Amino acid sequence: WQQEHATGTVVERDLATTNLPHITDEWVQAVHSHPASLTAEQKQVLQISDALVEELIQADTIVIGAPMYNFAIPAPLKAWIDQVVRVGKTVLFGAAGPEGILKGKKVYVVTSRGGAFRPGTPTERFDYQEPYLRHILAFIGLTDVTFIHAENQKPGAQAEIARTAAIAQIRELASHGSSSM
């Protein structure tokens, strides 16, 4: 992507090396308090969340790398999601229910999976990764989502074939994708 979009800016957030805090009672209290009444401690509790939300607001394109663990997403990605799904910041609640704020952005989710979970297969029902990510991203307004799955990543010949196909799809999308990722 960077080769194809030399003037674009990339912000990388490596969740494997970033220890994001889990949601606490203090965090919930701070999120549901009026911003003008936040204490110094509450502002500190929300500091990471505020930074992560700001990254999403500023992004034109979002790329998420998500290995499948036990048919779902890894804990660090769930911690990130918990930090960015914020009332008044990424979702509003009105008379019609929730409305995501982060509209008009493109999202690519690149996954690696030990097995194959394609629609129409007997294992499709075990895929809690893509349906959950589609739902939670749409909840905050991110509905233009493309999934790229590198399936069958257990050791063996199928892994290399699937990985090569996923990389080719990524290259194709990067060469024709958005100007800011």
Side-chain angles (χ1 to χ4, degrees):
W1 184 92
Q2 287 177 306
Q3 290 173 353
E4 298 291 330
H5 306 93
T7 60
T9 300
V10 174
V11 175
E12 183 176 341
R13 176 67 65 177
D14 186 346
L15 300 180
T17 60
T18 304
N19 189 14
L20 294 177
H22 295 282
I23 301 304
T24 63
D25 289 343
E26 293 80 13
W27 188 93
V28 173
Q29 181 81 27
V31 164
H32 294 287
S33 296
H34 189 278
S37 68
L38 291 176
T39 66
E41 293 81 17
Q42 289 174 319
K43 289 177 184 176
Q44 179 67 32
V45 166
L46 294 179
Q47 187 175 15
I48 291 171
S49 177
D50 288 341
L52 296 173
V53 167
E54 187 59 29
E55 286 175 0
L56 284 177
I57 290 169
Q58 295 302 317
D60 295 324
T61 304
I62 300 155
V63 178
I64 298 171
M68 178 183 271
Y69 291 169
N70 299 317
F71 309 115
I73 63 172
L77 180 55
K78 177 64 168 85
W80 178 83
I81 289 167
D82 290 344
Q83 292 290 334
V84 301
V85 177
R86 293 259 312 266
V87 174
K89 297 278 187 178
T90 58
V91 64
L92 298 174
F93 285 88
E99 181 181 353
I101 297 172
L102 302 175
K103 296 178 179 170
K105 299 173 185 295
K106 180 67 184 148
V107 180
Y108 297 96
V109 180
V110 182
T111 73
S112 62
R113 302 160 159 212
F117 301 90
R118 300 255 179 224
T121 66
T123 54
E124 173 187 15
R125 65 190 171 108
F126 298 118
D127 179 4
Y128 295 97
Q129 180 191 46
E130 182 175 336
Y132 171 71
L133 288 172
R134 279 195 187 281
H135 178 79
I136 198 67
L137 293 171
F139 187 74
I140 60 174
L142 301 171
T143 57
D144 186 1
V145 182
T146 299
F147 278 80
I148 303 162
H149 298 295
E151 296 192 310
N152 296 310
Q153 291 303 293
K154 296 179 295 248
Q158 287 183 331
E160 187 56 38
I161 293 167
R163 188 170 31 256
T164 300
I167 290 169
Q169 188 177 359
I170 292 167
R171 286 191 173 130
E172 175 66 21
L173 290 169
S175 68
H176 296 96
S178 176
S179 61
S180 181
M181 224 169 181

